[in-house]
Amino acid sequence: YKYGLRGASGAVITAGGTLSREQFLRYSQTRDIDKEFPGARGFGFIRRIARADEAHFLEQARADGKADFSIRQLASHAGDRYVIQYIEPVEHNASAIGLDIASESNRREAAEAAMRSGEVRLTGPITLVQASSKPQQSFLILMPIYRTIRTPDTVEAREAALLGWSYAPLSMSDVLATLPLDKTQFHLRLSDVTDAERSEHFYDSNGDRLPELFTKRVQRELLGRRWQMEFSVYPPFIQRLHLPSPTLATLLGVLISLLAAGLAGLLGINRERRQMFLAEQARLAAIVESSSDAIIGISLEGMITSWNQGARQLFGYAANEALRQRFNDLVKPVRPQVEEENILARIRRGEQIRAFETRYRCRDGHSIDVSVTVSPIRTDGRLVSGASQTIRDISAQKAAEARILELNSTLEAQVAQRTAELHRLNLLLNSVLQSASEVSIISSDVDGVIRVFNHGAERLLGYRADEMVGQCTPMRIHDKGEVDARAAELMKEFGEPIEGFRAFVHKAEIEGSETREWTYVRKDGTRFPVSLVVTAIRDENGRINGYLGIAVDITERKAAEQKLATSLATTQAILDTAISPIITIDAHGMVRSFNPAGERTFGYRPEEV
């Protein structure tokens, strides 16, 4: 239903809030409501009307294809009207058109909750005026529509910008019409428990009051309301399960127990246990022999008692060469002898040695990095008879770690170098910005909040940078009337809503930059003309991430232009009133001016000479 509300809201917003009945009808004809939103009686638009504007609204509504349009109330009130202006399909919703939902507290509270939160809200159970035969079994679902494209950030701004709501009337019996519920076996009851002291039932799957068994209650939050769902079963459901009797269940349990005891006796036969043991031993031996890690058995005196294929591949010794040799004499570990003796002592005490890293020597004389895990080997009597060493070659891992350390060292140097370069560039940029004392340079983010305010801007406008950066937009230093006039020009030119800060940057976004004369307002209230160049700042992907405004004071230029215009006007007046002919000639002897006295004296018109 939210998708349907969002679609209706889009139709209203696209029309700029001046949607006509014909436009809303055309939009509704693009949707298949019964298929897309089963249970919704339709989708409509509720407009907020100030009480003082009621007569004007009625005049417009009647001129909009419904000559008999009128506002109806469920109870009189003195606040704004929330009037259902459109709803489609209109065939089974006609009685709702013109209803002021603010005249009933349940509907009004849900609408105002949606307005303040900026989110979809649901009313409590109501009786629809177009479905009065189903009392307290229906709802309105409402989505706020604001005059701004984005939802305002504060509650006050949302209340001020609200245009109205898109909404849909929902009948719970229609919403749950396709619910595959066998009413002879199951019972479903839905209630609104938002008010903890008063529960309102709005759906009951079965009016028959059969005995209800095993009732389960669950509460859920839903669009600003709290609903309770109760589900239970009837005796026929229990009967259809064909549950066995307790006596039969007891007999089956005794029988299963006897069978289990017999099976346990059979599994206890010594011959089978021995076969299973031997098979397990063979399986474990195969696992050890096929392991790619070296798995070596060592006696408590340090003598090698087993040597798998992985050990042969790792160290180069065959099993007959390694067995009955002292392990430390064969592979020459880099650990001190004292540490080896400490490891064997701990094994005798039954301790497990956590994995450690060391270096061993292979048969060909080269050394390798290995990871070693040592575990005690126990007899059936749980006595320690030796140790098992699992050894894994980690030479490649060590080489990779060394390479990573080398790369990290190089990377750190590159980062330090790059950081120093960025620091120098930042110092240079800051010096350039602060040295431009005769030019105002102001930069903002995409929302217009000032991020850079250079020394030239401080000197020209009288504000300190810390008063402006992160505190406000350039609107503070502009003449509001001039900005509003420019916004109106752009709105007429581009046919879309433009206001506030957008008046400075809209054209720059399209054309890359815009140069225009504006009036700046200093901190002390004095005004002066500037020539402002606004440029859209884009990242490497072409996305806009801010704006740059560079302005110069053109007060002197304007004064010079005014003085020149005055001088030209004075000169022209002298020429026009002179009683003697005055003729000017250029370097080529061509006539460039011919005053009225010249016309009277020589009889030529200026265009002739």
Side-chain angles (χ1 to χ4, degrees), residues 382-594:
R382 308 304 296 165
L383 296 176
V384 177
S385 63
S388 170
Q389 285 197 110
T390 302
I391 304 172
R392 175 169 295 176
D393 184 0
I394 58 171
S395 299
Q397 176 184 331
K398 284 292 186 180
E401 290 175 356
R403 178 59 178 162
I404 289 172
L405 290 175
E406 179 184 353
L407 291 175
N408 283 343
S409 176
T410 304
L411 180 60
E412 288 174 2
Q414 292 176 350
V415 170
Q417 180 183 359
R418 183 58 178 163
T419 302
E421 291 175 357
L422 289 174
H423 181 65
R424 289 194 298 271
L425 288 175
N426 285 336
L427 288 177
L428 176 61
L429 177 60
N430 188 59
S431 298
V432 171
L433 289 175
Q434 298 306 322
S435 298
S437 59
E438 300 301 321
V439 179
S440 166
I441 301 176
I442 301 173
S443 176
S444 72
D445 59 20
V446 292
D447 296 319
V449 178
I450 293 174
R451 296 304 178 197
V452 174
F453 196 82
N454 80 325
H455 180 66
E458 290 182 317
R459 194 187 68 79
L460 289 176
L461 294 163
Y463 291 99
R464 298 190 313 276
D466 58 8
E467 296 180 279
M468 305 296 284
V469 175
Q471 306 296 319
C472 62
T473 72
M475 286 291 293
R476 177 181 287 186
I477 61 174
H478 278 264
D479 181 275
K480 186 178 184 304
E482 194 175 64
V483 175
D484 291 343
R486 179 56 177 165
E489 291 176 9
L490 293 173
M491 192 180 307
K492 184 176 180 181
E493 180 179 351
F494 293 98
E496 58 183 278
I498 297 172
E499 58 185 18
F501 176 74
R502 297 294 306 166
F504 307 130
V505 303
H506 186 79
K507 204 155 188 176
E509 287 182 356
I510 298 172
E511 300 178 359
S513 66
E514 181 188 30
T515 302
R516 186 178 178 82
E517 292 184 4
W518 294 89
T519 300
Y520 269 7
V521 182
R522 295 187 178 93
K523 185 176 181 179
D524 61 9
T526 58
R527 301 163 180 262
F528 63 99
V530 296
S531 176
L532 174 64
V533 180
V534 177
T535 304
I537 304 173
R538 300 178 185 271
D539 60 18
E540 63 274 9
N541 297 318
R543 291 190 297 268
I544 294 175
N545 55 24
Y547 306 94
L548 177 66
I550 301 176
V552 294
D553 185 354
I554 58 172
T555 303
E556 294 182 1
R557 192 187 81 186
K558 285 288 188 181
E561 290 175 355
Q562 182 62 39
K563 184 175 180 181
L564 178 60
T566 301
S567 176
L568 290 175
T570 302
T571 301
Q572 188 62 44
I574 292 171
L575 291 173
D576 291 344
T577 57
I579 60 175
S580 299
I582 299 176
I583 303 170
T584 61
I585 302 172
D586 62 17
H588 301 288
M590 302 297 291
V591 175
R592 291 305 179 190
S593 68
F594 198 74

Side-chain angles (χ1 to χ4, degrees), residues 133-146:
S133 61
K134 299 178 180 179
Q136 302 300 104
Q137 296 181 26
S138 303
F139 303 85
L140 297 186
I141 181 170
L142 303 108
M143 173 180 284
I145 303 174
Y146 302 100

Side-chain angles (χ1 to χ4, degrees), residues 132-191:
S132 57
S133 61
K134 299 178 180 179
Q136 302 300 104
Q137 296 181 26
S138 303
F139 303 85
L140 297 186
I141 181 170
L142 303 108
M143 173 180 284
I145 303 174
Y146 302 100
R147 291 183 177 87
T148 56
I149 295 176
R150 296 178 180 175
T151 300
D153 294 330
T154 65
V155 173
E156 294 77 9
R158 292 177 195 138
E159 291 177 351
L162 183 76
L163 180 65
W165 300 262
S166 59
Y167 89 106
L170 307 177
S171 170
M172 190 51 60
S173 59
D174 294 338
V175 171
L176 300 180
T178 59
L179 183 67
L181 191 70
D182 187 343
K183 297 182 179 180
T184 64
Q185 299 189 58
F186 309 104
H187 178 241
L188 175 65
R189 181 185 295 112
L190 303 179
S191 309

Side-chain angles (χ1 to χ4, degrees), residues 166-270:
S166 59
Y167 89 106
L170 307 177
S171 170
M172 190 51 60
S173 59
D174 294 338
V175 171
L176 300 180
T178 59
L179 183 67
L181 191 70
D182 187 343
K183 297 182 179 180
T184 64
Q185 299 189 58
F186 309 104
H187 178 241
L188 175 65
R189 181 185 295 112
L190 303 179
S191 309
D192 187 308
V193 294
T194 306
D195 185 349
E197 298 179 359
R198 184 167 60 95
S199 174
E200 295 182 80
H201 301 303
F202 57 84
Y203 179 80
D204 197 317
S205 64
N206 197 344
D208 298 335
R209 286 293 175 259
L210 298 175
E212 299 176 14
L213 306 174
F214 308 106
T215 300
K216 175 70 174 180
R217 293 180 178 87
V218 176
Q219 292 189 4
R220 293 288 185 270
E221 297 292 335
L222 182 66
L223 302 179
R225 307 296 297 183
R226 188 167 185 82
W227 282 12
Q228 176 172 282
M229 289 151 273
E230 300 177 60
F231 186 82
S232 56
V233 298
Y234 292 139
F237 171 78
I238 303 297
Q239 295 167 6
R240 290 186 59 180
L241 295 179
H242 303 298
L243 298 176
S245 67
T247 302
L248 179 59
T250 302
L251 292 175
L252 288 174
V254 171
L255 178 60
I256 291 172
S257 299
L258 291 174
L259 291 174
L263 180 61
L266 292 175
L267 292 175
I269 297 175
N270 183 58

Side-chain angles (χ1 to χ4, degrees), residues 341-360:
E341 292 175 356
N342 180 50
I343 290 175
L344 287 175
R346 291 174 61 189
I347 289 296
R348 292 188 190 99
R349 294 195 298 269
E351 297 181 19
Q352 177 126 357
I353 309 300
R354 296 181 62 181
F356 59 88
E357 296 178 1
T358 186
R359 290 181 65 82
Y360 284 157

